[in-house]
């Protein structure tokens, strides 16, 4: 072994500046080397289902809440733009619910059919599309609430800021993190 290698091995690595996600990712990379393709696909699908469990409850609550709004007294006071926005966010919420719950249905239908590779790919695509719809829908709900409570200009600003927030947090942060 070279002297540099021995020196590096004798000093403990300083991981204090790295976060737990980085350490976990490195462990996952090391574990992948010993996995069969089937094991990796199974692990990927299980990780995806865990992630979806977090979003499913929120999307279902949002959809349920939106479904009750037409039965409130104030709903009749909405102008045509607000009613259209309401219908758009309701449809978006239903679509997000379908996309986020879709991987569970995919799995149930294809259980033990030897379609794990397709299942992981399709579930990943559905989850990504579901998160996009959730960001659009939630931003639309922010727009609608601000429009009802303040004015259209404030609603446009608030809805846009919500959308920028989701894009930055859900897409920008991972892309920037991956580049480092």
């Amino acid at each position: 072994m070279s002297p540099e290698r021995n020196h590096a091995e004798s000093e403990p690595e300083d991981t204090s500046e790295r976060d737990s996600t980085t350490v976990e990712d490195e462990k996952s990379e090391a574990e992948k080397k010993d996995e069969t393709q089937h094991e990796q696909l199974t692990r990927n699908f299980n990780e995806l289902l865990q992630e979806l469990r977090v979003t499913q409850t929120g999307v279902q609550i949002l959809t349920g809440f939106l479904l009750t709004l037409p039965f409130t007294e104030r709903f009749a006071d909405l102008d045509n733009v607000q009613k259209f926005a309401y219908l758009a966010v309701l449809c978006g919420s239903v679509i997000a619910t379908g996309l986020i719950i879709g991987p569970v249905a995919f799995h149930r239908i294809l259980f033990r059919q030897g379609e794990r590779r397709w299942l992981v790919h399709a579930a990943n695509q559905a989850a990504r599309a579901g998160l996009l719809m959730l960001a659009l829908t939630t931003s639309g709900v922010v727009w609608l609430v601000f429009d009802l409570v303040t004015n259209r200009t404030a609603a446009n600003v608030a809805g846009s800021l919500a959308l920028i927030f989701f894009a930055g947090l859900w897409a920008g942060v991972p892309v920037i993190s991956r580049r480092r």
Side-chain angles (χ1 to χ4, degrees):
M1 280 190 198
S2 70
E4 294 87 335
R5 178 83 172 137
N6 287 334
H7 177 68
E9 288 178 352
S10 65
E11 290 183 9
E13 182 179 353
D14 180 17
T15 59
S16 60
E17 293 183 23
R18 295 183 342 191
D19 62 19
S20 61
T21 305
T22 305
V23 173
E24 288 175 13
D25 288 344
E26 288 175 2
K27 287 179 184 174
S28 295
E29 291 299 320
E31 290 170 358
K32 286 181 187 178
K33 294 177 184 174
D34 295 330
E35 286 180 326
T36 66
Q37 184 178 18
H38 178 74
E39 290 170 337
Q40 182 182 10
L41 289 170
T42 299
R43 180 179 51 78
N44 290 159
F45 188 69
N46 288 335
E47 289 174 1
L48 181 61
L49 287 179
Q50 288 290 28
E51 294 167 10
L52 291 174
R53 283 187 182 109
V54 173
T55 58
Q56 283 176 350
T57 303
V59 169
Q60 290 170 331
I61 290 170
L62 176 61
T63 303
F65 170 72
L66 289 170
L67 288 171
T68 66
L69 288 182
F71 303 103
T72 63
E73 289 181 31
R74 182 136 187 233
F75 192 79
D77 297 338
L78 270 61
D79 64 29
N80 287 338
V81 172
Q82 292 166 334
K83 287 179 182 176
F84 177 80
Y86 165 77
L87 292 172
V89 297
L90 175 64
C91 290
S93 186
V94 170
I95 291 168
T97 300
L99 288 166
I100 288 171
I101 296 174
V104 175
F106 299 166
H107 182 259
R108 212 35 27 225
I109 291 169
L110 296 174
F111 186 67
R112 295 189 186 204
Q113 300 295 314
E115 296 292 334
R116 180 75 51 155
R117 179 186 304 276
W118 180 89
L119 187 60
V120 170
H121 176 75
N124 180 52
Q125 296 302 314
R128 287 175 179 233
L131 288 172
L132 174 63
M133 287 306 301
L134 180 58
L136 292 171
T137 299
T138 304
S139 299
V141 168
V142 168
W143 181 91
L144 183 58
V145 169
F146 269 78
D147 195 52
L148 287 167
V149 174
T150 61
N151 58 55
R152 190 114 331 136
T153 301
N156 291 338
V157 170
S160 297
L161 288 174
L163 195 55
I164 291 167
F165 169 75
F166 286 119
L169 183 63
W170 292 357
V173 169
V175 167
I176 290 169
S177 175
R178 190 156 194 239
R179 289 183 183 168
R180 290 191 298 155

